[in-house]
Amino acid sequence: MQAIEQRKLQVKTHLGIGEQFKHETEFELHQVKEQLRNAEENIAYLSDRVMTYRYRWLEEYYRADNLERHMPNGIHVPDLGQIPLGAPSPGFSTEFLAWDDM
């Protein structure tokens, strides 16, 4: 009789160890899933940032390319400080209107 009780205790102990192992495994699995979810969120965020900066870089690249094509190094544009404040627009200058009358 004592052997049967001892065997039941061994089975309960073995089941207890199995349950503990199951809980530990479930906890580790939960942690891994949480890390995976965080990694996926981080990847999505970084992918979004890469696309944003890629578009900005392309805009700057095409802007610089347009400047090189349409405004080579030999062209000089006056600084806005050189244009007198309140100067009339060239389209409304009396010189241009007088030239049209000729």
Side-chain angles (χ1 to χ4, degrees), residues 49-61:
R49 300 306 295 171
V50 165
M51 292 306 292
T52 299
Y53 287 114
R54 181 177 182 272
Y55 287 134
R56 286 184 186 172
W57 180 85
L58 284 173
E59 287 174 356
E60 291 298 320
Y61 174 81

Side-chain angles (χ1 to χ4, degrees), residues 25-101:
T25 305
E26 287 175 353
F27 179 72
E28 289 176 8
L29 181 61
H30 176 72
Q31 285 181 329
V32 169
K33 285 182 179 180
E34 188 174 323
Q35 289 174 348
L36 179 61
R37 185 175 42 252
N38 289 339
E40 288 173 343
E41 289 174 2
N42 196 21
I43 288 170
Y45 170 77
L46 292 175
S47 295
D48 183 50
R49 300 306 295 171
V50 165
M51 292 306 292
T52 299
Y53 287 114
R54 181 177 182 272
Y55 287 134
R56 286 184 186 172
W57 180 85
L58 284 173
E59 287 174 356
E60 291 298 320
Y61 174 81
Y62 287 124
R63 187 176 295 135
D65 187 50
N66 273 339
L67 280 174
E68 282 183 16
R69 286 185 187 178
H70 301 290
M71 196 169 154
N73 287 335
I75 295 178
H76 297 284
V77 177
D79 291 334
L80 290 179
Q82 296 176 350
I83 300 172
L85 192 63
S89 175
F92 297 104
S93 173
T94 56
E95 294 172 7
F96 290 114
L97 294 174
W99 183 78
D100 286 341
D101 291 337

Side-chain angles (χ1 to χ4, degrees), residues 16-28:
I17 292 172
E19 288 294 319
Q20 182 181 358
F21 177 75
K22 181 180 172 184
H23 290 301
E24 288 175 2
T25 305
E26 287 175 353
F27 179 72
E28 289 176 8

Side-chain angles (χ1 to χ4, degrees), residues 1-17:
M1 189 70 146
Q2 199 175 36
I4 295 173
E5 292 297 322
Q6 191 175 19
R7 179 68 183 144
K8 285 182 182 178
L9 183 60
Q10 287 176 348
V11 169
K12 284 182 181 178
T13 304
H14 181 70
L15 288 176
I17 292 172

